[in-house]
């Protein structure tokens, strides 16, 4: 293979990663990437199983002398968050990613990279392929649709797994080894929004962009702006001065990504166009002050399209949308009292979309908490708000958290090996993000689990980048741990 990453080390890890990136694998589009893993195993005479949900398990016998050792599970998810720049023509359903290397990082042109969690799959497959390694019996588990609620892991029958140790390669900070995580649930609010005809209005497009965005778990505490909340604030400000209605609406599509973009079309009377622009400009000024040093590039652009709209959402739907976006909580709800700096409970408004077919506005939330009762309390808050306003609220993707385990051979071993190889002390931490570790632990209670991985920056954004040197260190760490297990 002579790809753009073929000169990087470890060679096979990056070659396999590039092959994975050539296969479309956005959440919900898992057939091809799962088949790739199965064919990879078959070509190397390894046993592979693919279930009805596209999860894949590949087994490899122990190397000589390790036959009596406990089985180790190498685990990561196959799906990626699909985000692209506004002017990109990339089609995630059929196009592979366009990779390049810059300043020691692997990146993708105009799209997310999917290092979360493609690098886990690449590392695990490289281990499976290499017959020179010393290791116990291995089970490589590749789950699907992790980014949309850990659906693959939740549906997976794990009774066939023999592993005692689980190496989850789904952390994005080298040297930080995770020992527990939050649970989560999704809430989708459907606002009835039938269209009615309207005349003698002018159509304007409103675009909110320039926001930093990011992962709603690992970055929720940074106080970044949410484009959906900004849009709700703009609608509220317009209520007092501009006669308007919303005719089209497109915001974020992933509840676990901090919304960084909204595009909407509004219908206004011609004499109100200037006031619409003035209100947007006033709000931008306020936001630049409020988010200085956090989100410095927020923009709200108003463009008169020249065409007159012929339909609109009802005034009631507009009012409910404004009320929900203005009043739903967003961001950190509570910090942990036990672990300094750790978010315990949070909420992210990540989805905002108009469904033309069903004539509904969908507002989607990701709720996270390390405390089960707190998680459900926030969900019920959203549910009650929706029902009070005459809307439907549907919960999905409910997954358990992963509690800290006092005694862990994996934690001790990873700490020892990491310090030997790098000269640095390992940091053991908890994370306010959903990890599949919680699902595995709920199904296999005796598992000893750790989550780790190489440095990946700006995850879930088009600026995502994967550190080449960090991948090399984490791969060597994995090989040595396997050897000692």
């Amino acid at each position: 293979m002579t790809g753009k990453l073929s000169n990087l080390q470890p060679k096979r890890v990056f070659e396999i990663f590039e092959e994975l990136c050539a296969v479309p694998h956005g959440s919900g589009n898992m057939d091809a990437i799962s088949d790739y893993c199965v064919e990879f195993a078959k070509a190397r005479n390894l046993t592979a199983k693919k279930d009805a949900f596209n999860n894949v398990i590949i087994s490899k016998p122990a190397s000589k002398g390790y036959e009596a050792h406990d089985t180790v599970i190498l685990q990561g998810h196959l799906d990626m968050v699909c985000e692209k720049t506004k002017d990109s023509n990339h089609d995630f359903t059929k196009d592979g990613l366009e990779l390049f290397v810059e300043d020691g990082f692997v990146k993708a042109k105009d799209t997310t990279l999917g290092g979360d969690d493609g690098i886990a799959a690449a590392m695990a497959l490289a281990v499976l392929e290499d017959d020179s390694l010393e290791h116990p019996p291995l089970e490589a588990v590749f789950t699907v649709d992790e980014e949309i609620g850990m659906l693959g892991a939740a549906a997976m029958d794990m009774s066939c797994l023999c592993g005692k140790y689980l190496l989850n390669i789904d952390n994005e900070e080298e040297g930080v080894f995770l020992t527990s995580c939050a649970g989560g649930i999704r809430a989708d609010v459907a606002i009835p929004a039938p269209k009615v005809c309207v005349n003698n209005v002018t159509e304007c497009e409103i675009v909110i962009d320039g926001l930093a965005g990011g992962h709603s778990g690992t970055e929720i505490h940074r106080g970044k702006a949410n484009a959906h909340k900004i849009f709700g604030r703009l609608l509220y400000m317009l209520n007092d001065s501009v006669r308007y209605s919303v005719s089209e609406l497109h915001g974020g599509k992933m509840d676990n990504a901090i919304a960084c973009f909204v595009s909407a079309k509004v219908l206004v009377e011609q004499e109100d166009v200037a006031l619409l622009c003035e209100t947007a400009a006033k709000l931008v000024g306020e936001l630049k002050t409020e988010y200085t040093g956090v989100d410095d590039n927020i923009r709200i652009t108003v463009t008169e399209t020249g065409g007159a709209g012929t339909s609109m959402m009802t005034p009631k739907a507009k009012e409910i949308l404004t009320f929900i976006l203005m009043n739903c909580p967003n961001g950190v709800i509570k910090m942990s009292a036990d672990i300094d700096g750790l978010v315990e409970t949070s909420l992210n408004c990540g989805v905002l979309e108009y469904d033309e077919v069903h004539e509904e506005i969908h507002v989607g939330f990701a709720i996270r908490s390390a405390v089960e009762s707190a998680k459900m309390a926030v969900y019920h808050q959203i549910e009650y708000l929706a029902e009070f306003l005459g809307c439907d609220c549907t919960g999905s993707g409910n997954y358990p958290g992963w509690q800290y385990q006092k005694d862990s051979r994996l934690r001790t071993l990873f700490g020892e090996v990491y310090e030997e190889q790098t000269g640095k002390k390992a940091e053991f931490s908890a994370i306010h993000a959903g990890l599949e570790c919680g699902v595995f632990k709920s199904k296999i209670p005796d598992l000893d689990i750790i989550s780790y991985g190489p440095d990946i920056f700006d995850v879930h954004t088009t600026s995502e980048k994967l550190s080449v040197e960090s991948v090399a260190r984490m791969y060597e760490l994995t090989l040595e741990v396997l050897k000692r297990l």
Side-chain angles (χ1 to χ4, degrees):
M1 175 180 175
T2 56
K4 294 182 179 179
L5 309 187
S6 59
N7 292 325
L8 303 180
Q9 296 294 334
K11 184 177 178 62
R12 281 303 290 154
V13 172
F14 281 108
E15 287 179 341
I16 294 170
F17 180 71
E18 188 163 11
E19 291 177 9
L20 292 167
C21 289
V23 181
H25 57 285
S27 302
N29 184 28
M30 297 281 93
D31 289 338
I33 197 71
S34 295
D35 288 342
Y36 169 92
C37 293
V38 172
E39 293 304 316
F40 185 98
K42 288 181 178 179
R44 292 154 182 83
N45 297 315
L46 299 173
T47 301
K49 301 177 182 178
K50 184 175 80 166
D51 67 15
F53 308 98
N54 278 318
N55 298 301
V56 176
I57 300 173
I58 302 175
S59 301
K60 184 176 184 179
S63 59
K64 186 176 181 180
Y66 284 77
E67 294 86 355
H69 290 223
D70 291 317
T71 301
V72 176
I73 300 172
L74 300 172
Q75 191 267 321
H77 61 87
L78 295 175
D79 61 315
M80 65 174 286
V81 170
C82 296
E83 293 286 347
K84 62 182 180 180
T85 58
K86 184 180 178 182
D87 56 352
S88 172
N89 294 319
H90 187 88
D91 185 344
F92 283 103
T93 65
K94 62 181 181 181
D95 298 335
L97 305 179
E98 187 176 340
L99 305 184
F100 65 97
V101 182
E102 182 178 74
D103 299 328
F105 293 94
V106 178
K107 303 178 182 180
K109 185 177 184 297
D110 298 332
T111 68
T112 39
L113 173 66
D116 173 20
D117 193 23
I119 195 59
M123 289 172 63
L125 291 172
V127 168
L128 293 173
E129 180 184 68
D130 192 343
D131 291 331
S132 69
L133 303 178
E134 297 176 82
H135 59 78
L138 298 176
E139 293 171 328
V141 180
F142 306 102
T143 52
V144 297
D145 295 338
E146 186 267 357
E147 300 289 5
I148 54 175
M150 305 189 190
L151 304 184
M156 186 178 184
D157 179 4
M158 299 183 185
S159 61
C160 64
L161 295 176
C162 301
K164 179 179 179 180
Y165 302 103
L166 173 65
L167 277 56
N168 169 269
I169 313 172
D170 193 18
N171 188 28
E172 293 91 36
E173 187 176 359
E174 180 188 331
V176 177
F177 300 90
L178 301 179
T179 58
S180 68
C181 69
I185 188 172
R186 301 173 63 197
D188 179 79
V189 176
I191 305 171
K195 290 192 172 183
V196 296
C197 293
V198 63
N199 298 305
N200 302 317
V201 291
T202 296
E203 183 181 78
C204 293
E205 182 181 34
I206 298 174
V207 175
I208 301 173
D209 63 1
L211 286 75
H215 192 289
S216 69
T218 58
E219 297 189 275
I220 198 71
H221 63 290
R222 299 187 186 281
K224 296 182 178 182
N226 184 301
H228 299 159
K229 296 290 287 184
I230 291 174
F231 182 64
R233 186 167 162 182
L234 177 61
L235 295 184
Y236 177 78
M237 292 172 67
L238 293 174
N239 281 341
D240 293 333
S241 56
V242 176
R243 291 161 291 184
Y244 74 94
S245 60
V246 181
S247 61
E248 292 185 20
L249 181 59
H250 305 282
K253 295 183 179 181
M254 301 295 297
D255 60 74
N256 62 355
I258 300 171
C260 60
F261 177 82
V262 168
S263 173
K265 289 186 178 179
V266 299
L267 307 176
V268 299
E269 296 186 9
Q270 181 62 49
E271 57 266 29
D272 286 337
V273 173
L275 191 52
L276 169 61
C277 295
E278 291 173 10
T279 304
K282 178 184 177 182
L283 178 55
V284 170
E286 294 174 354
L287 295 170
K288 285 187 177 296
T289 299
E290 295 169 20
Y291 289 96
T292 297
V294 178
D295 253 313
D296 294 311
N297 300 309
I298 299 173
R299 296 185 297 264
I300 303 179
T301 306
V302 179
T303 305
E304 187 174 350
T305 61
T310 57
S311 63
M312 58 176 282
M313 299 172 188
T314 63
K316 182 178 180 180
K318 183 193 74 173
E319 183 179 12
I320 292 174
L321 173 64
T322 305
F323 188 90
I324 288 177
L325 292 180
M326 280 292 292
N327 289 283
C328 68
N330 190 77
V332 176
I333 304 296
K334 184 178 183 295
M335 299 296 291
S336 171
D338 299 317
I339 302 175
D340 187 40
L342 176 67
V343 178
E344 181 181 280
T345 306
S346 75
L347 175 67
N348 177 64
C349 181
V351 175
L352 185 59
E353 193 74 20
Y354 183 68
D355 182 345
E356 293 277 353
V357 176
H358 299 97
E359 295 190 334
E360 294 175 334
I361 305 168
H362 287 270
V363 188
F365 302 87
I367 301 163
R368 304 176 191 268
S369 183
V371 179
E372 180 68 19
S373 60
K375 179 184 75 176
M376 295 312 300
V378 176
Y379 173 78
H380 291 142
Q381 183 180 3
I382 297 298
E383 182 183 49
Y384 190 27
L385 176 65
E387 292 175 352
F388 184 81
L389 296 170
C391 305
D392 291 329
C393 180
T394 304
S396 63
N398 191 3
Y399 59 90
W402 161 37
Q403 292 188 330
Y404 180 82
Q405 184 172 318
K406 183 177 180 180
D407 298 315
S408 168
R409 182 186 176 196
L410 275 185
R411 187 166 65 246
T412 301
L413 182 56
F414 267 84
E416 291 173 353
V417 175
Y418 183 74
E419 185 172 358
E420 289 174 12
Q421 291 185 337
T422 67
K424 301 176 182 177
K425 288 282 187 181
E427 176 184 343
F428 296 99
S429 183
I431 188 173
H432 185 68
L435 290 174
E436 291 165 304
C437 302
V439 180
F440 278 82
K441 188 71 172 177
S442 70
K443 296 186 179 186
I444 312 175
D446 293 333
L447 270 181
D448 188 357
I449 305 174
I450 201 160
S451 179
Y452 68 106
D455 285 329
I456 312 176
F457 299 95
D458 300 315
V459 172
H460 294 184
T461 77
T462 56
S463 299
E464 183 181 359
K465 58 184 181 180
L466 170 66
S467 168
V468 174
E469 292 184 353
S470 186
V471 169
R473 287 190 291 269
M474 291 299 95
Y475 188 61
E476 288 303 314
L477 174 67
T478 301
L479 301 185
E480 183 62 25
V481 167
L482 291 177
K483 183 179 179 180
R484 297 193 191 186
L485 282 171

